[in-house]
Amino acid sequence: MTRPRPLTGRGDLADSVRVVGEFGVIARVVARAGSAAVAEVGPGDDAAVLRAPDGRVVATTDVLVEGRHFRRDWSSAEDVGHKAAAANLADVAAMGGVATALLVGLACPADTPTSWLEGVAAGMAAECAPLGAAVVGGDTVASAPGSGAVVLSVTALGDLGGRAPVLRSGARPGDVVAVAGRLGWSACGLAVLRRGFSSPLAAVAAHRRPSPPYAAGPAAADAGATAMCDVSDGLLADAGHLAADSGVVVDLDRAALVRTMLEPPGPMQQVAAALGADPLAWVLTGGEDHALLATFPSGAALPEGWAVVGEVRAGTPGVTVSGEPAADVAVSVGAGRTGHVHFG
Amino acid sequence: MTRPRPLTGRGDLADSVRVVGEFGVIARVVARAGSAAVAEVGPGDDAAVLRAPDGRVVATTDVLVEGRHFRRDWSSAEDVGHKAAAANLADVAAMGGVATALLVGLACPADTPTSWLEGVAAGMAAECAPLGAAVVGGDTVASAPGSGAVVLSVTALGDLGGRAPVLRSGARPGDVVAVAGRLGWSACGLAVLRRGFSSPLAAVAAHRRPSPPYAAGPAAADAGATAMCDVSDGLLADAGHLAADSGVVVDLDRAALVRTMLEPPGPMQQVAAALGADPLAWVLTGGEDHALLATFPSGAALPEGWAVVGEVRAGTPGVTVSGEPAADVAVSVGAGRTGHVHFG
């Protein structure tokens, strides 16, 4: 495990969680939290109280573990905050909702610099702010003795604005399959970092801070999407979840994926050429970009940002790529597996 | 750190998180989760969708770390589930709300027996069920390599049923101070376990599974409580938070506390006599029973389960016990500090 670096000098090492204490940390983090438009009672009481304009609330939790989902020598504190928030905000978008608030459970070693925690809070606040969301509560505790890794558990809440939630189970034969957002960039960036490089920066930055297409989720719901999910485990894996839950075959169009995700050529081709890899492997199996995958009735007008990359067919539930089984395609592009496995 | 015991035989060691995988764990845990009355979309999609009948939602997060908040050799998996749920459900009650749903973020070593996780889920379900609440979502990930401790981050959501939330900041001079629920039992049970004993069972059981007075929270709100909080850090410490946020002195009545919490004599006196301790130390500084502390206008009719234990005065914000400063009282009863420090 990579030990924390003193991020801004010697002062931080003295100014650790152990020294400042739980309440000191909370006060400093709250100062960075921004404020949620829906908050009637914000941080600092036993619980937050949030308006739920729709009369329903969307709720989801994702856990990030240091050494598995991020490394403190590869990502700044702000990067980790952006990434932890994005993973959850994207899940709300994938239901057709708009995120309104985050709650954060954090376990960290007692010697964690408070500046690192403030950086995480600032990153979360920055990722949330364009949506009007903010961190409204949480709990910070010291890890167990001898356990040096940070664990960050984030819960996002959101509002559906009157929309019906878009589930994974609604895809029907004849629907088109579409994607919004980027695929493969985070995995490409990780491949760069793993080899000890830090450029091309566009790929590395994509790994450090994903850019999920938040607005595409509610737009898809408004456009009549029949099923939707967030791509966090990789396209083949998440399409597989959607196919299984809907009882259908999701057939991805290889040429459409190349056209949509790999043209015009950019950093992914550059890195792939240097590493002797096939960039399609990252597109098909890379996780953590938090693109959205959805199905729409054939003939539906797709909202801005969505591109058709396949179609839904009847048959034994599963995923094919231009008719070929996903597992075979994963092997042929050198991915070796259909699902994303985090780097720990 | 105590390593996990094989809870029901050799089969469990093979049947670990590493073997079953994340999706296998989730499927097994969801099978134990029960179902939430407010759930429109339950576990298994990108996010849950929950009805918020009040038009607002109460939200709170607490983190439990193995070795600090529980030990797997002192508490069963079911106990840990009960305790993690109770800590959060009590926070919702302390706002005047009724909990509706939990989301759970769990990081655990890859060799954790799946039966242990199923036990945690069963304990959470059992703690939630009387309220009509249930686990509606979550995320389970393997800990970082070399990090052997379980981290459990629980978010509770709740409904106010039209009540105004009761904050910590509303206490006014002249109000009475009242408590609902038990104080000191968990700390007493911990003292027993620390010395290697397992009886009296009533005290040990109270440490393993707190019994927060959930209904007393909304009842206090209905009765006009001016301020309220959950006692999780110890009575003196949490009364201090309420005093600070309200800008008042909370004066606790020592005789009333003894009468309410230590009469008739029971397991706490028995343990205190054996250990040469003053049971009032546990009452004043023990956390984790999740009693509720509230203030009411003088003359208000207190709901069932609430007992007056002091009064609110004007002055430099702080806590006194029959006029004596809290810190001095803590020393005089042998607690040595006003706040609860978890055992890690």
Side-chain angles (χ1 to χ4, degrees), chain A residues 135-154:
Chain A
V135 175
V136 297
D139 189 21
T140 303
V141 303
S143 305
S147 171
V150 173
V151 176
L152 201 52
S153 178
V154 180

Side-chain angles (χ1 to χ4, degrees), chain B residues 12-254:
Chain B
D12 290 309
L13 286 178
D15 219 11
S16 67
V17 173
R18 180 183 289 121
V19 173
V20 175
E22 184 188 341
F23 293 106
V25 168
I26 291 171
R28 291 180 186 213
V29 168
V30 163
R32 303 292 179 108
S35 85
V38 297
E40 186 173 302
V41 177
D45 217 298
D46 292 274
V49 179
L50 310 166
R51 285 184 294 279
D54 174 82
R56 296 168 297 178
V57 64
V58 180
T60 181
T61 294
D62 264 305
V63 180
L64 276 75
V65 173
E66 181 182 2
R68 295 186 68 85
H69 302 92
F70 65 88
R71 282 175 46 163
R72 281 195 256 178
D73 55 343
W74 285 354
S75 296
S76 71
E78 287 77 6
D79 291 337
V80 172
H82 274 276
K83 186 170 178 169
N88 284 279
L89 299 174
D91 279 328
V92 173
M95 300 302 287
V98 177
T100 53
L102 298 184
L103 293 103
V104 182
L106 174 73
C108 64
D111 63 358
T112 306
T114 56
S115 62
W116 191 85
L117 300 178
E118 292 177 88
V120 171
M124 288 185 176
E127 188 71 24
C128 287
L131 301 171
V135 175
V136 297
D139 190 20
T140 303
V141 303
S143 305
S147 172
V150 173
V151 176
L152 200 51
S153 179
V154 179
T155 296
L157 304 180
D159 194 81
L160 284 164
R163 293 172 209 97
V166 184
L167 309 185
R168 295 181 180 184
S169 53
R172 295 293 170 260
D175 286 352
V176 299
V177 178
V179 171
R182 303 197 293 197
L183 289 170
W185 286 65
S186 179
C188 174
L190 178 57
V192 169
L193 288 166
R194 269 186 168 148
R195 281 157 184 83
F197 298 110
S198 57
S199 69
L201 188 60
V204 172
H207 176 71
R208 291 177 172 148
R209 300 188 185 185
S211 301
Y214 300 121
D222 288 338
T226 52
M228 182 155 53
C229 69
D230 157 57
V231 181
S232 50
D233 292 325
L235 179 61
L236 296 181
D238 286 305
H241 303 151
L242 190 148
D245 287 2
S246 296
V248 298
V249 176
V250 170
D251 184 52
L252 300 168
D253 179 334
R254 185 173 183 139

Side-chain angles (χ1 to χ4, degrees), chain B residues 185 188 192 198-203 262 264-279 282:
Chain B
W185 286 65
C188 174
V192 169
S198 57
S199 69
L201 188 60
L262 292 170
M268 284 209 282
Q269 282 85 348
Q270 186 187 336
V271 175
L275 302 179
D278 184 341
W282 294 323

Side-chain angles (χ1 to χ4, degrees), chain B residues 271-317:
Chain B
V271 175
L275 302 179
D278 184 341
L280 192 58
W282 294 323
V283 170
L284 292 173
T285 66
E288 304 190 325
D289 290 295
H290 301 290
L292 296 175
L293 172 71
T295 56
F296 295 87
S298 173
L302 266 51
E304 194 186 325
W306 287 92
V308 173
V309 296
E311 63 181 29
V312 179
R313 295 181 184 159
T316 306

Side-chain angles (χ1 to χ4, degrees), chain A residues 60-76:
Chain A
T60 181
T61 295
D62 264 304
V63 180
L64 276 74
V65 174
E66 181 182 2
R68 296 186 68 84
H69 302 94
F70 65 88
R71 282 174 47 162
R72 281 195 256 176
D73 55 343
W74 285 354
S75 296
S76 71

